[in-house]
Structure formats: structure tokens, C-alpha cells
Amino acid sequence: MTNAARERYRARMQRVLDHIDRHLDQDLGLEALSAVAAFSQAHFHRQFTATFGVTVHRYVQLARLRRASYQLAFRTGASVTEVALDAGYDAPDAFARAFRQRFEQSPSAFRTSPAWEPWLAACAPLTNARTLRMTTWTTTDVEVRDFPATPVAVMTHRGDPAAVYDTVRRFIAWRRAAGLGRGVAATFTVFHSDPRTTPPEDFRLDLCAASDRPIPDTAQGVTAGLIPAGRCAVLRVIGHSEDLEPAALFLYRDWLPDSGEEAGDFPLFCQRLSFFPDVPEHEAVTDLFLPLRSAPAG
């Protein structure tokens, strides 16, 4: 296959994956998706399975179940039955069977105490598919901005990066109880470690909610902190934001050397402006901040 032909296939599959993200609540059968790809149904089914290692049906089911798992783990507003209906299941028992088959836990058990290792393994086809969907940024996508000093409530995660979801759950619960939910307080993550080069036991990141109120000592381990004022290079990331490594690499490896700027002392951090599953994954918005040294006087 020539490079041009390969790129055409890539573009068609990219279009299908984007369509799935945008229309999880609509018809995502073989006929509908093959039309999006502009392939015959038979050829599309073979090509999709060969590209992603799973059938179209399983991929769509997994995308819906993954959204359901986020609703169960991180949102408390909907019952298991409501989550099942939202995932396209007419009966909770059918949803429970599919959920257990994929994630090795019942929906109610997952809501109470998620087992992240089998969940991560089950979601691998979705994670792997994103390698096809890497965004390409240019220097014009980066804005240098003055960031104001921002007092924050901080919950630190230390240890295995895969266990960060448990810390997120605890922080969400604390924020809800403290009246600092997402609609009230801006949400930040400060990245102290690079998971590629840091031993899992030494990995650290801070989950933060903007707040200038006093933070009392609590058993949950929340402390008062500050994201300092300063100049930052800002790159907006649209869509999947759990893995910000490609965006961070672009800032450090591509933008910074050509910019004439120098990185500052504060770590890379992000502000999460909208979240999956509150919005469809392709609509999630995250601003990634690379602190810079102050501009020379004069």
C-alpha cells in the first residue's frame, strides 16, 4: 500500500472513531459506520478489526461501557439503572452481564470499589485506537499568557500512576462535601513527575481545586497550596485528556527550543475546563501550562 493510500485509510478510520465519540447515544451499527467510512460493510468490518484488534460491535460496546464506568466511579447523580439506560441497555441485568464480562466486576461493586487493573486492561482497545488520532500542533496553537497567583486546595497522589483514579475519587468526594465542586471551583492538576522516567513508587501529582478559603486539616489529606503567578506557554487540548504526554512533548521538544524562552521552576500543570463524561469525550477541553522564566526587564 502506498503512503497516500495508507493516509486515506487512516483518515477514514479517524472519521469513524470521531463519529463514535460524537454519537454514542445513536445508531452505531455496521451499516451506519461503514457509510461514515465510505467502505462496503464487509470490507469495513474486516478493515476495522484488522486495524484495532476488535470488531466494530465490541469497540462500540466498550466505548459505551467505559462512559458508564466513569459515571459509576466519578458521578453520584444517576442510579445504576439510569446508567444502564444511558449506555443503551433496556434492562439492568443485561447491562450488569456485559459490564461484568468486560471489567470483571458488577456495576454496583465497581461504583463502590473499582478494580482499576482489569478496567485498564479491558479499555486497551480504546487506548490503542487513540494512537491513530494523535493531534498535530503548530507553534500558532501556543499562547504565552500571564497566569495569576491561584490559591488551591491540594490532594497529592503518590505512587503507581494507575492508582490515581482512586485519589481522584477521594478528591471528588472531598470537593463535594466542601462545596468546591467543578461548577464552583476551577480544577487543576500539577505534574511533578514524568511517568515514563519515574519509578512508580516515586510518582507524584497534585489534584487541585481553586479556593482562597482556609483549608482545615482533614483525614482526607487535603492541604492549602498555591499555583504561583507567572508567564506560561499555554496549549489547548481538545478531546481525550487523560494522556497529555503528546501535548507536553510538543511544548518541551518542539515549541520551547524554537521560542527563545526558558522553562521556569514550577512544574507543568493543566486546567481542566470541561470533563468527560459531563460532555462527550471529543468536547472535553484542557489547557496545558508550561511555566516560563520571567521576560528580561526592558
Side-chain angles (χ1 to χ4, degrees):
M1 182 183 294
T2 66
N3 287 338
R6 187 175 293 108
E7 284 305 311
R8 286 196 296 272
Y9 266 72
R10 180 186 176 95
R12 290 181 178 187
M13 289 301 174
Q14 170 83 50
R15 196 159 64 232
V16 170
L17 297 181
D18 289 344
H19 183 87
I20 292 171
D21 276 353
R22 286 174 168 82
H23 302 91
L24 274 180
D25 297 320
Q26 299 178 23
D27 175 21
L28 295 176
L30 184 59
E31 181 178 358
L33 293 180
S34 61
V36 172
F39 285 133
S40 70
Q41 291 186 42
H43 180 70
F44 171 69
H45 186 270
R46 289 193 298 268
Q47 190 65 29
F48 190 97
T49 303
T51 301
F52 301 117
V54 293
T55 65
V56 177
H57 172 76
R58 180 173 176 185
Y59 185 95
V60 170
Q61 181 198 52
L62 187 56
R64 288 170 171 159
L65 289 175
R66 177 175 172 271
R67 182 180 64 177
S69 70
Y70 272 69
Q71 293 168 331
L72 292 168
F74 303 121
R75 305 292 182 262
T76 59
S79 67
V80 172
T81 298
E82 289 169 328
V83 172
L85 293 172
D86 193 43
Y89 291 84
D90 295 330
D93 56 342
F95 171 67
R97 284 195 300 272
F99 195 95
R100 184 187 293 276
Q101 183 180 26
R102 293 289 170 251
F103 302 132
E104 301 181 14
Q105 281 185 290
S106 69
S108 57
F110 188 87
R111 166 163 274 178
T112 301
S113 181
W116 295 112
E117 188 172 344
W119 180 86
L120 287 167
C123 290
L126 302 179
T127 304
N128 295 339
R130 291 192 182 97
T131 61
L132 185 73
R133 310 165 71 180
M134 289 298 181
T135 302
T136 301
W137 295 283
T138 68
T139 55
T140 59
D141 296 316
V142 180
E143 174 188 3
V144 176
R145 194 187 302 171
D146 289 322
F147 184 84
T150 304
V152 290
V154 181
M155 179 178 285
T156 297
H157 172 83
R158 294 183 184 273
D160 188 351
V164 72
Y165 296 104
D166 284 328
T167 308
V168 171
R169 278 167 54 86
R170 292 196 303 274
F171 193 49
I172 289 173
W174 179 86
R175 291 182 64 167
R176 189 178 296 119
L180 290 173
R182 300 181 308 280
V184 175
T187 298
F188 298 91
T189 305
V190 181
F191 303 99
H192 293 274
S193 307
D194 182 345
R196 298 174 305 152
T197 58
T198 305
E201 63 272 16
D202 296 330
F203 179 79
R204 174 190 169 192
L205 62 75
D206 291 340
L207 304 174
C208 306
S211 176
D212 56 6
R213 68 177 68 167
I215 306 298
D217 292 334
T218 66
Q220 291 94 332
V222 178
T223 59
L226 177 73
I227 301 178
R231 297 169 64 247
C232 294
V234 186
L235 177 62
R236 176 154 292 186
V237 180
I238 307 293
H240 177 69
S241 61
E242 287 184 10
D243 181 9
L244 293 172
E245 181 179 330
L249 286 175
F250 171 78
L251 284 174
Y252 277 114
R253 185 180 59 198
D254 300 319
W255 181 84
L256 190 62
D258 294 335
S259 68
E261 300 279 359
E262 293 184 41
D265 295 328
F266 194 74
L268 192 77
F269 66 97
C270 75
Q271 180 178 2
R272 302 188 185 274
L273 301 174
S274 59
F275 301 77
F276 173 79
D278 297 341
V279 300
E281 192 158 22
H282 72 283
E283 294 179 4
V285 179
T286 303
D287 280 348
L288 187 63
F289 292 79
L290 171 59
L292 304 171
R293 292 196 181 279
S294 298

